[in-house]
Amino acid sequence: MRDQRSTESNPFHYTPALVLTVFMLLICGFIVLASAGMGSTEGEGGPLGFIEKQAMFCGLGVVLSVMAYYFPHRWMQSYTFFFILYGFVVGALLSVYFIGSNINDVKNVYRWISIPGLGISFQPSEITKLGIVLMVAIWACLNPQKIQKLACLGGVVPLGLMISVILALIFIEPDYATTMVCGSVAMATFYVAGVSARWVTIAMVLLVLLVGYTVNYLELERSGRIYAWQNLYTEMPDENRQQLASIKAIVTGQLLGKGIGMGTAKLGGLSEHDSDFIFAVVAEELGFIGVFCVLLGFVFILYAGTSISIKSKDIFGRVLAMGIVTAISIQVLLNVATTSALVPNTGLTFPFFSKGGSNLIMMLISMGFLMGVERETRRSSAQALLQDRNNKSAISNPFEQ
């Protein structure tokens, strides 16, 4: 009994290991990003000028991550917080259509909000991933039984309709890859919250069909990109040069890589080498061993997050933890698949490595919330254990009071 009580009161804590893992990924990311910056031609204070800006984003992200870690979950578990969060996410997405900017020179694509005077911009759709996870977690917490039903006011249909509005705003930016990521995250969190796997599957199939039909029949530029990807080695070498250069960089990295700063793909041929295709730089300069270690870090985040979700004492923590690791895992998977030419170019960044503040800050905030779930679980376990001891003490000493 003594050993059992000791085990219950002192479970394995993932937070220290998660902090170390994220720290190592950030350090590795900054080193690779600095190397990738040697091939940058941007006027950001020199080839490595954006490193200072990235460090600023990282510092802000760390501060917000600590705040997320200590943020009391009970403050979020209300309809007031839910609708404030929902309004903020929808408002941020709507602002793109009025004051959005095009910073990558992509035709008719305005996904960023520029902040005058600071020379920085952020992507509102990055807020959506964590926002959807939090919204589903709050709704499930407030309606633990009703969310499994379709017709009731607190069921999945009202929540699904509100999430659909968010997905529609991202879809018509257009940003199809982020729509798929956010939709997949929503479906995963719905399932964890208790929604039937049948309805989750139907919703996911409908989303895939909608995006697939739009890309193939309504968006000629993107359908051409898919056709080029399908004929990667046989036709249209100009359209495929980015992914072909990425494959070449990955292959030439071999087992141990060429060494930090010694890669050549970033010097020509591989565009977006410091953002969407930075994984190719990782593979070329660190080799298979380096890639394995980096991906192992993300695998550990997935494992730890899943364990934290399972051990959580309430549905809010379970949904929040699982949603966060799902969002991170899907983005890593799609980015690696893109740089390896297993899927068409998605335009998704590589977490903790790619240049850009929006994704980095939101990833760090997400990790803060993830570790905060474990903190809340440990606090609840400690309170339950103390209450149990007090009850046993009262039973053993009935006349003490």
Side-chain angles (χ1 to χ4, degrees):
M1 288 295 292
R2 182 178 180 181
D3 292 337
Q4 182 179 0
R5 287 196 302 269
S6 177
T7 301
E8 292 175 353
S9 59
N10 295 285
F12 179 76
H13 298 164
Y14 290 99
T15 296
L18 280 172
V19 171
L20 180 61
T21 300
V22 173
F23 176 76
M24 296 302 296
L25 288 174
L26 285 172
I27 293 297
C28 185
F30 270 96
I31 293 174
V32 174
L33 188 59
S35 175
M38 296 178 184
S40 176
T41 58
E42 297 183 24
E44 297 185 7
L48 303 182
F50 58 80
I51 292 294
E52 296 180 3
K53 186 179 293 187
Q54 192 77 357
M56 180 188 69
F57 291 140
C58 182
L60 177 59
V62 169
V63 172
L64 295 176
S65 177
V66 173
M67 294 174 63
Y69 176 75
Y70 285 106
F71 196 85
H73 285 186
R74 65 181 181 276
W75 291 5
M76 294 184 282
Q77 298 169 2
S78 67
Y79 283 112
T80 301
F81 189 92
F82 175 90
F83 285 108
I84 289 176
L85 176 62
Y86 183 77
F88 176 76
V89 171
V90 171
L93 292 174
L94 283 174
S95 65
V96 172
Y97 300 98
F98 300 98
I99 57 174
S101 59
N102 185 338
I103 65 174
N104 283 350
D105 297 325
V106 181
K107 184 179 179 181
N108 297 325
V109 175
Y110 297 88
R111 301 173 184 169
W112 294 267
I113 302 296
S114 297
I115 301 178
L118 297 180
I120 61 176
S121 58
F122 73 95
Q123 195 171 356
S125 59
E126 290 293 344
I127 304 172
T128 307
K129 301 167 190 174
L130 179 59
I132 287 176
V133 173
L134 283 170
M135 282 184 272
V136 177
I138 295 170
W139 194 270
C141 176
L142 298 175
N143 306 278
Q145 301 300 325
K146 294 181 180 179
I147 195 172
Q148 303 176 24
K149 303 176 182 179
L150 297 179
C152 62
L153 185 61
V156 69
V157 170
L159 177 61
L161 291 174
M162 287 186 282
I163 299 293
S164 297
V165 172
I166 294 175
L167 296 179
L169 290 174
I170 302 174
F171 183 79
I172 61 180
E173 285 186 5
D175 190 347
Y176 303 132
T178 302
T179 302
M180 287 298 300
V181 171
C182 291
S184 301
V185 171
M187 297 305 111
T189 50
F190 281 158
Y191 179 74
V192 176
V195 178
S196 169
R198 178 180 61 180
W199 295 114
V200 170
T201 303
I202 291 174
M204 194 65 210
V205 169
L206 291 176
L207 177 63
V208 171
L209 290 176
L210 174 62
V211 174
Y213 176 82
T214 303
V215 170
N216 280 284
Y217 297 101
L218 302 181
E219 289 280 351
L220 297 180
E221 180 180 349
R222 287 169 175 79
S223 63
R225 184 185 298 176
I226 293 177
Y227 177 79
W229 168 74
Q230 291 172 336
N231 299 274
L232 188 67
Y233 300 102
T234 57
E235 300 179 31
M236 310 172 74
D238 289 338
E239 286 79 1
N240 293 325
R241 63 180 180 276
Q242 192 175 32
Q243 286 188 309
L244 289 173
S246 176
I247 294 174
K248 180 180 179 181
I250 293 173
V251 172
T252 56
Q254 299 185 358
L255 183 64
L256 299 177
K258 297 179 179 179
I260 294 295
M262 303 303 294
T264 57
K266 63 198 175 191
L267 300 178
L270 181 61
S271 58
E272 303 296 336
H273 53 268
D274 52 6
S275 54
D276 299 355
F277 281 82
I278 197 171
F279 180 77
V281 179
V282 174
E284 183 184 24
E285 300 190 354
L286 300 182
F288 174 80
I289 299 298
V291 167
F292 177 79
C293 292
V294 169
L295 295 182
L296 187 63
F298 287 108
V299 170
F300 174 74
I301 290 176
L302 174 61
Y303 170 77
T306 303
S307 300
I308 290 173
S309 175
I310 293 172
K311 293 180 180 180
S312 177
K313 301 295 183 182
D314 60 86
I315 191 171
F316 178 86
R318 288 198 299 272
V319 174
L320 180 58
M322 187 57 69
I324 287 172
V325 294
T326 299
I328 295 175
S329 300
I330 290 176
Q331 187 163 332
V332 170
L333 183 64
L334 286 178
N335 181 272
V336 172
T338 297
T339 54
S340 304
L342 298 177
V343 298
N345 192 348
T346 59
L348 296 173
T349 56
F350 193 52
F352 304 117
F353 280 73
S354 295
K355 181 187 70 174
S358 301
N359 184 260
L360 178 60
I361 290 173
M362 293 312 301
M363 283 292 163
L364 289 172
I365 294 175
S366 297
M367 292 304 300
F369 275 119
L370 175 60
M371 290 181 278
V373 172
E374 184 178 51
R375 174 178 172 272
E376 289 285 335
T377 300
R378 286 159 48 194
R379 185 180 64 83
S380 299
S381 299
Q383 290 178 345
L385 184 62
L386 180 61
Q387 183 65 36
D388 181 61
R389 288 175 177 174
N390 291 338
N391 292 339
K392 290 180 179 180
S393 177
I395 292 174
S396 61
N397 300 284
F399 301 105
E400 190 173 283
Q401 299 180 353

